[in-house]
Amino acid sequence: MSDKREIPTGTINTIVAMYQLALSKALGTGSAALTQLILRDATEIADEMLKNLGIELGDIGNLEKDIPKIFKLMGISSKVEVEVPKDATAVGSTYVIKVYDSIFKPVALLLQKRGIKFTLSPESFIAAYVIRKALRKRDIKANVRIQVEPMKSPKEPLVIKIIIR
């Protein structure tokens, strides 16, 4: 699981796009609901897989700084902005993550052109995973919901909203 081969981003983007297309075709509008279900179980799997890859997230506390650092560490993006809500733990509070130079941006743009909602956005899963991990330090039952806004143009960031449930 942690062998050191590298895969070109174009190959990864093709795989992500194919999974999204298959999910959208199979579930239609229900694909967004499946994304939320996946997220519930993803934290434990992500912890194990990242550890096998030698990526240790350490103590997550300042999400405004930690999320961009993690995106950079994982090689996903070097320009990420995080808007933390005033009451960062209250149900209904929304974190807004703007990802400017993601390696997955071509997938979001392609799917947008084809009218397919990007419910399997890797960026959204990573952001939600980190936020959920931080929230669960305070409340083991804390949960989040992902909302990815459609890409507007190649110059605009991918906008992800993580809502506390």
Side-chain angles (χ1 to χ4, degrees), residues 51-81:
K51 187 175 183 178
N52 287 338
L53 293 170
I55 298 173
E56 292 287 338
L57 298 186
D59 190 32
I60 298 169
N62 182 341
L63 292 170
E64 203 168 0
K65 291 180 181 179
D66 290 341
I67 291 173
K69 181 178 79 178
I70 291 165
F71 271 68
K72 192 172 196 168
L73 176 70
M74 296 177 100
I76 294 172
S77 175
S78 60
K79 186 175 181 192
V80 177
E81 295 174 357

Side-chain angles (χ1 to χ4, degrees), residues 12 14 21 39 42 48 78 100-101 105 120 131 136 148 162:
I12 296 292
T14 301
L21 181 60
L39 182 60
E48 183 180 330
S78 60
Y100 288 87
D101 61 346
K105 198 170 195 177
L120 290 179
I131 291 169
R136 287 210 156 187
V148 181
I162 310 294

